[in-house]
Structure formats: C-alpha cells, structure tokens
Amino acid sequence: MTKQKKSILISFMIGFVILVGLDQWTKGLVVAHLKGHKPFVVWDGVFEFYYSENRGAAFGMMQEKQLFFFLIALLVLGAVAYLMVKMPTDRKYRPMSVCLMMVSAGAVGNMIDRISQGYVVDFLYFKLINFPIFNVADCYVTIAAACLVILIMFYYKDEDMACFAIKKHGNAEKE
C-alpha cells in the first residue's frame, strides 16, 4: 500500500470517527434533555426536536427487524471497504471518498443504537410537512447517497468507475 493510499485511508477513518461521534453526541443530548419531555420547538409549526425511539427502518418500516438491519449495515460497510481499497488515489475521487465516509458513519451510528438499545434515537422533526422523525446519521446517509447519485451521473465517466469492477478469473471467453 502506498503512502498516499495510507494517508487517504487514515483521513477517512478520522472523519468517520468524528462523524459517528457527532451522531452519538447529538443522540445523547436528546436522551438527556428530551426523553420524557415535550418537544423543543425551534420554529413553531415548522421544526422541532422531538424524542422518538425507532425500532424499524426509514419512516418506521419493518419494526423489530434488528438482525436484518445489522446485516444490511455490515453489507454496506463491506462494500465501502471494498470501494475504498479499490479507489485510485487521484484527487478526482475525494468527493466519492467523503460520500462513502458519510454512508459508513450513518450506518455505524444507527447500528450502535440498535445494538446498545434495540432501537434508534430519532429527534429531527419537520412538523410543517409532517415528515418522519430522523437523526444525524440519517442525514449523513441521505446527503451522501444523493451526492453519490449526482457524482456518478454527472461527474465520473465510465472509465473512472472501471477501477471498481470485479475481475473474472478462469477461462472467460474474449469478446
């Protein structure tokens, strides 16, 4: 592994730890100050901090399927690890690296909750549109996924993505 690749992976891990820490810190604040209390209104009728325990996935779907979510998180982390190892060290790939770091941090942030408590603490509530309550880890995943879609559709070319292809071994026929 080159020195530059090590530097990129170390930066990834530092950012990852910071993001997971921020997610867990915000959830800790919410538990300490909002659990068992009325919501904290930031903008009346629009946005508030509202303590909620989510035992499902996005929008409360698939309640009580903790093992399934744990396995999905492991799958995501495995895919991110593969992509980070395969990713060239060119500066062009930094935005993708940041997005992968955010997806990983979001997955781990919510996985920590699922393992330690059996549910995920949610607290960000857009009351104006009655949007499902979410948390900082959810923000990481949503923002990163949207950015990845934009990057893949408009920034990276097919040849930029070829480095991630899984090579077949054996007697594959030539085209």
Side-chain angles (χ1 to χ4, degrees), residues 112-163:
I112 290 169
D113 284 13
R114 291 184 199 288
I115 291 170
S116 65
Q117 302 165 155
Y119 57 85
V120 175
V121 173
D122 287 334
F123 60 93
L124 301 169
Y125 178 46
F126 282 98
K127 189 173 187 173
L128 179 67
I129 58 174
N130 194 28
F131 194 79
I133 305 167
F134 56 100
N135 61 45
V136 173
D138 298 334
C139 293
Y140 298 158
V141 173
T142 303
I143 292 167
C147 289
L148 278 171
V149 167
I150 292 167
L151 286 169
I152 291 168
M153 288 179 64
F154 302 109
Y155 182 68
Y156 297 114
K157 296 175 178 45
D158 288 343
E159 55 269 16
D160 296 327
M161 302 304 286
C163 60

Coordinates of all heavy atoms in Angstrom, one line a residue, residues 112-163:
I112 N -24.9 1.3 16.2 CA -24.6 1.4 17.7 C -25.9 1.5 18.5 O -26.0 0.8 19.5 CB -23.7 2.6 17.9 CG1 -22.3 2.4 17.3 CG2 -23.6 2.9 19.4 CD1 -21.4 3.6 17.3
D113 N -26.8 2.3 18.1 CA -28.1 2.4 18.8 C -28.8 1.0 18.8 O -29.3 0.6 19.8 CB -29.0 3.4 18.1 CG -28.6 4.9 18.4 OD1 -27.5 5.1 18.9 OD2 -29.4 5.8 18.1
R114 N -28.9 0.4 17.6 CA -29.6 -0.9 17.6 C -29.0 -1.9 18.5 O -29.8 -2.7 19.1 CB -29.7 -1.4 16.1 CG -30.5 -0.5 15.2 CD -30.5 -1.1 13.8 NE -30.9 -0.2 12.8 CZ -32.1 0.3 12.6 NH1 -33.1 -0.1 13.4 NH2 -32.4 1.2 11.7
I115 N -27.7 -2.0 18.5 CA -27.0 -3.0 19.3 C -27.2 -2.6 20.8 O -27.5 -3.5 21.6 CB -25.6 -3.1 18.9 CG1 -25.5 -3.8 17.5 CG2 -24.8 -3.9 19.9 CD1 -24.1 -3.7 16.9
S116 N -26.9 -1.4 21.2 CA -26.9 -1.0 22.6 C -28.3 -0.8 23.2 O -28.5 -1.0 24.4 CB -26.1 0.3 22.8 OG -26.7 1.4 22.1
Q117 N -29.3 -0.5 22.4 CA -30.6 -0.1 22.9 C -31.8 -0.9 22.3 O -32.9 -0.9 22.9 CB -30.9 1.4 22.7 CG -29.9 2.2 23.4 CD -29.9 3.7 22.9 OE1 -29.5 4.5 23.6 NE2 -30.4 4.0 21.7
G118 N -31.5 -1.5 21.2 CA -32.6 -2.2 20.5 C -33.5 -1.3 19.6 O -34.5 -1.7 19.0
Y119 N -33.1 0.0 19.5 CA -33.8 1.0 18.7 C -32.9 2.1 18.4 O -31.8 2.3 19.0 CB -35.1 1.5 19.5 CG -34.8 2.2 20.8 CD1 -34.4 3.5 20.9 CD2 -34.9 1.4 22.0 CE1 -34.1 4.1 22.2 CE2 -34.6 2.0 23.2 CZ -34.2 3.3 23.3 OH -33.9 3.8 24.5
V120 N -33.3 3.0 17.5 CA -32.5 4.1 17.1 C -33.2 5.4 17.6 O -34.4 5.5 17.5 CB -32.4 4.2 15.5 CG1 -31.7 5.5 15.1 CG2 -31.7 3.0 15.0
V121 N -32.4 6.3 18.2 CA -33.0 7.5 18.7 C -33.1 8.5 17.5 O -32.1 8.8 16.8 CB -32.1 8.1 19.8 CG1 -32.5 9.5 20.2 CG2 -32.0 7.2 21.0
D122 N -34.3 9.0 17.3 CA -34.6 10.0 16.3 C -35.1 11.2 17.0 O -35.7 11.2 18.0 CB -35.7 9.5 15.3 CG -35.2 8.4 14.3 OD1 -33.9 8.4 14.1 OD2 -36.0 7.6 13.8
F123 N -34.8 12.4 16.3 CA -35.2 13.6 17.0 C -35.5 14.8 16.1 O -35.9 15.9 16.6 CB -34.2 14.0 18.1 CG -32.8 14.2 17.6 CD1 -32.4 15.5 17.2 CD2 -32.0 13.1 17.5 CE1 -31.1 15.7 16.8 CE2 -30.7 13.3 17.0 CZ -30.2 14.6 16.6
L124 N -35.1 14.8 14.9 CA -35.3 15.9 14.0 C -36.7 15.8 13.3 O -36.9 14.8 12.6 CB -34.2 16.0 12.9 CG -32.8 16.1 13.5 CD1 -31.7 15.9 12.4 CD2 -32.6 17.4 14.2
Y125 N -37.6 16.7 13.5 CA -38.9 16.6 13.1 C -39.4 17.9 12.3 O -39.5 19.0 12.9 CB -39.9 16.3 14.2 CG -41.3 16.2 13.9 CD1 -41.8 15.5 12.8 CD2 -42.3 16.9 14.7 CE1 -43.1 15.4 12.5 CE2 -43.6 16.7 14.4 CZ -44.0 16.0 13.3 OH -45.4 15.9 13.0
F126 N -39.7 17.8 11.0 CA -40.2 18.9 10.3 C -41.7 18.7 10.4 O -42.4 18.0 9.6 CB -39.8 18.8 8.8 CG -38.4 19.3 8.6 CD1 -37.3 18.5 8.5 CD2 -38.1 20.7 8.6 CE1 -36.0 19.0 8.4 CE2 -36.9 21.2 8.4 CZ -35.8 20.3 8.3
K127 N -42.3 19.5 11.3 CA -43.7 19.4 11.6 C -44.5 20.0 10.5 O -45.6 19.5 10.3 CB -44.0 20.1 13.0 CG -45.3 20.0 13.5 CD -45.5 20.6 14.9 CE -46.8 20.2 15.4 NZ -47.0 20.7 16.8
L128 N -44.0 21.0 9.8 CA -44.8 21.6 8.8 C -45.3 20.7 7.7 O -46.4 20.8 7.3 CB -43.9 22.7 8.1 CG -44.6 23.5 7.0 CD1 -45.7 24.4 7.5 CD2 -43.6 24.4 6.3
I129 N -44.5 19.7 7.4 CA -44.9 18.7 6.3 C -45.1 17.4 7.0 O -45.2 16.4 6.2 CB -43.8 18.7 5.2 CG1 -42.4 18.3 5.7 CG2 -43.8 20.0 4.4 CD1 -41.4 18.1 4.7
N130 N -45.0 17.3 8.3 CA -45.2 16.0 9.0 C -44.3 15.0 8.5 O -44.7 13.8 8.2 CB -46.7 15.6 9.0 CG -46.9 14.5 10.0 OD1 -46.3 14.4 11.0 ND2 -47.9 13.6 9.7
F131 N -43.0 15.3 8.2 CA -42.0 14.4 7.7 C -41.6 13.5 8.8 O -41.5 13.9 10.0 CB -40.8 15.2 7.2 CG -39.9 14.4 6.4 CD1 -40.2 14.1 5.0 CD2 -38.7 13.9 6.9 CE1 -39.3 13.4 4.2 CE2 -37.8 13.1 6.1 CZ -38.2 12.9 4.8
P132 N -41.3 12.2 8.5 CA -40.9 11.3 9.6 C -39.7 11.8 10.4 O -38.8 12.4 9.8 CB -40.6 10.0 8.8 CG -41.4 10.1 7.6 CD -41.5 11.6 7.2
I133 N -39.7 11.5 11.6 CA -38.6 12.0 12.5 C -37.3 11.2 12.2 O -37.4 10.0 11.9 CB -39.0 11.7 14.0 CG1 -40.3 12.4 14.3 CG2 -37.9 12.2 14.9 CD1 -41.0 12.0 15.6
F134 N -36.2 11.9 12.1 CA -34.9 11.3 11.8 C -33.8 11.8 12.7 O -34.1 12.5 13.6 CB -34.6 11.5 10.3 CG -34.6 13.0 9.9 CD1 -33.4 13.7 9.7 CD2 -35.8 13.7 9.6 CE1 -33.4 15.0 9.3 CE2 -35.8 15.0 9.2 CZ -34.6 15.7 9.1
N135 N -32.6 11.4 12.4 CA -31.4 11.8 13.2 C -30.3 12.2 12.3 O -30.3 12.2 11.1 CB -31.1 10.7 14.2 CG -30.7 9.4 13.5 OD1 -29.9 9.4 12.5 ND2 -31.2 8.3 14.0
V136 N -29.1 12.5 13.0 CA -27.9 13.0 12.3 C -27.4 11.9 11.4 O -27.0 12.2 10.2 CB -26.9 13.5 13.3 CG1 -25.6 13.8 12.6 CG2 -27.4 14.7 14.0
A137 N -27.4 10.6 11.8 CA -26.9 9.5 11.0 C -27.7 9.4 9.7 O -27.2 9.2 8.6 CB -26.9 8.2 11.8
D138 N -29.0 9.6 9.9 CA -29.9 9.5 8.7 C -29.5 10.6 7.7 O -29.6 10.4 6.5 CB -31.3 9.6 9.1 CG -31.8 8.5 10.0 OD1 -31.2 7.4 10.0 OD2 -32.8 8.8 10.8
C139 N -29.2 11.8 8.2 CA -28.8 12.9 7.4 C -27.5 12.6 6.6 O -27.4 12.8 5.4 CB -28.5 14.2 8.2 SG -30.0 14.9 9.0
Y140 N -26.6 12.0 7.3 CA -25.3 11.5 6.6 C -25.7 10.6 5.4 O -25.2 10.9 4.3 CB -24.4 10.7 7.5 CG -23.9 11.4 8.7 CD1 -23.4 10.7 9.8 CD2 -23.8 12.8 8.8 CE1 -22.9 11.3 10.9 CE2 -23.2 13.4 9.9 CZ -22.8 12.6 11.0 OH -22.3 13.2 12.1
V141 N -26.4 9.6 5.6 CA -26.8 8.6 4.6 C -27.5 9.3 3.5 O -27.2 9.0 2.3 CB -27.5 7.4 5.2 CG1 -28.0 6.5 4.1 CG2 -26.7 6.7 6.2
T142 N -28.5 10.1 3.8 CA -29.3 10.7 2.7 C -28.5 11.7 1.9 O -28.6 11.6 0.6 CB -30.5 11.4 3.4 OG1 -31.3 10.5 4.2 CG2 -31.5 12.0 2.3
I143 N -27.8 12.5 2.5 CA -27.0 13.5 1.8 C -25.9 12.8 0.9 O -25.7 13.1 -0.2 CB -26.4 14.5 2.7 CG1 -27.4 15.4 3.4 CG2 -25.3 15.4 2.0 CD1 -27.0 16.2 4.6
A144 N -25.2 11.8 1.5 CA -24.2 11.1 0.8 C -24.8 10.3 -0.4 O -24.2 10.3 -1.5 CB -23.4 10.2 1.8
A145 N -25.9 9.7 -0.2 CA -26.5 8.9 -1.3 C -26.9 9.8 -2.4 O -26.6 9.5 -3.6 CB -27.7 8.1 -0.8
A146 N -27.5 11.0 -2.1 CA -27.9 12.0 -3.1 C -26.6 12.5 -3.9 O -26.6 12.5 -5.1 CB -28.6 13.1 -2.5
C147 N -25.6 12.8 -3.1 CA -24.3 13.2 -3.8 C -23.7 12.2 -4.6 O -23.2 12.5 -5.7 CB -23.4 13.7 -2.7 SG -23.9 15.3 -1.9
L148 N -23.7 10.9 -4.2 CA -23.2 9.8 -5.0 C -23.9 9.7 -6.3 O -23.3 9.4 -7.3 CB -23.2 8.5 -4.2 CG -22.1 8.3 -3.2 CD1 -22.4 7.0 -2.3 CD2 -20.8 8.1 -3.9
V149 N -25.2 9.8 -6.2 CA -26.0 9.7 -7.5 C -25.6 10.8 -8.4 O -25.4 10.6 -9.6 CB -27.5 9.7 -7.2 CG1 -28.3 10.0 -8.4 CG2 -28.0 8.5 -6.5
I150 N -25.5 12.0 -7.9 CA -25.1 13.1 -8.8 C -23.7 12.9 -9.3 O -23.4 13.1 -10.5 CB -25.2 14.5 -8.0 CG1 -26.7 14.8 -7.7 CG2 -24.5 15.6 -8.7 CD1 -26.9 15.9 -6.7
L151 N -22.7 12.5 -8.4 CA -21.4 12.3 -8.9 C -21.3 11.2 -10.0 O -20.6 11.4 -11.0 CB -20.5 11.8 -7.7 CG -20.1 12.9 -6.7 CD1 -19.5 12.3 -5.5 CD2 -19.2 13.9 -7.3
I152 N -22.0 10.1 -9.8 CA -21.9 9.0 -10.7 C -22.6 9.4 -12.1 O -22.2 9.0 -13.1 CB -22.5 7.7 -10.1 CG1 -21.6 7.2 -9.0 CG2 -22.8 6.7 -11.2 CD1 -22.1 6.1 -8.1
M153 N -23.7 10.2 -12.0 CA -24.4 10.5 -13.2 C -23.7 11.6 -14.0 O -23.8 11.6 -15.2 CB -25.9 11.0 -12.8 CG -26.8 9.8 -12.4 SD -28.4 10.3 -12.0 CE -29.0 11.0 -13.5
F154 N -23.1 12.6 -13.3 CA -22.6 13.8 -14.0 C -21.2 14.1 -13.8 O -20.6 14.9 -14.6 CB -23.4 15.0 -13.4 CG -24.9 14.9 -13.7 CD1 -25.7 14.7 -12.6 CD2 -25.5 15.0 -14.9 CE1 -27.1 14.6 -12.7 CE2 -26.8 14.9 -15.1 CZ -27.7 14.7 -14.0
Y155 N -20.5 13.5 -12.9 CA -19.1 13.8 -12.7 C -18.1 12.7 -13.2 O -17.2 13.0 -13.9 CB -18.8 14.1 -11.2 CG -17.4 14.5 -10.8 CD1 -16.9 15.8 -11.3 CD2 -16.6 13.7 -10.0 CE1 -15.6 16.2 -10.9 CE2 -15.3 14.1 -9.7 CZ -14.8 15.3 -10.1 OH -13.6 15.7 -9.8
Y156 N -18.4 11.5 -12.7 CA -17.5 10.4 -13.1 C -17.9 9.8 -14.5 O -19.1 9.7 -14.7 CB -17.5 9.3 -12.0 CG -16.9 9.8 -10.7 CD1 -17.7 9.9 -9.6 CD2 -15.6 10.1 -10.6 CE1 -17.2 10.3 -8.4 CE2 -15.1 10.6 -9.4 CZ -15.9 10.7 -8.3 OH -15.4 11.1 -7.1
K157 N -16.9 9.5 -15.3 CA -17.2 8.8 -16.5 C -17.1 7.3 -16.3 O -16.6 6.9 -15.3 CB -16.2 9.3 -17.6 CG -16.3 10.8 -17.9 CD -15.2 11.3 -18.8 CE -15.3 12.7 -19.2 NZ -15.6 13.7 -18.1
D158 N -17.5 6.6 -17.3 CA -17.5 5.1 -17.2 C -16.0 4.6 -16.9 O -15.8 3.7 -16.1 CB -18.0 4.5 -18.5 CG -19.5 4.6 -18.7 OD1 -20.2 4.9 -17.6 OD2 -20.0 4.4 -19.8
E159 N -15.1 5.2 -17.6 CA -13.7 4.8 -17.4 C -13.2 5.1 -16.0 O -12.3 4.5 -15.4 CB -12.7 5.4 -18.4 CG -12.8 6.9 -18.6 CD -13.8 7.4 -19.6 OE1 -14.7 6.7 -20.0 OE2 -13.6 8.6 -20.0
D160 N -13.8 6.2 -15.3 CA -13.4 6.5 -13.9 C -13.9 5.4 -13.0 O -13.3 5.2 -11.9 CB -14.0 7.8 -13.5 CG -13.5 9.0 -14.3 OD1 -12.3 9.0 -14.7 OD2 -14.2 10.0 -14.5
M161 N -15.0 4.8 -13.4 CA -15.6 3.8 -12.5 C -15.1 2.3 -12.8 O -15.4 1.4 -12.0 CB -17.1 3.8 -12.7 CG -17.8 5.1 -12.4 SD -17.4 5.8 -10.7 CE -18.5 4.7 -9.8
A162 N -14.3 2.2 -13.8 CA -13.8 0.9 -14.2 C -12.9 0.3 -13.1 O -12.8 -1.0 -13.0 CB -13.0 0.9 -15.5
C163 N -12.3 1.1 -12.3 CA -11.4 0.6 -11.3 C -12.1 -0.2 -10.2 O -11.5 -1.0 -9.5 CB -10.7 1.8 -10.6 SG -11.8 3.0 -9.8

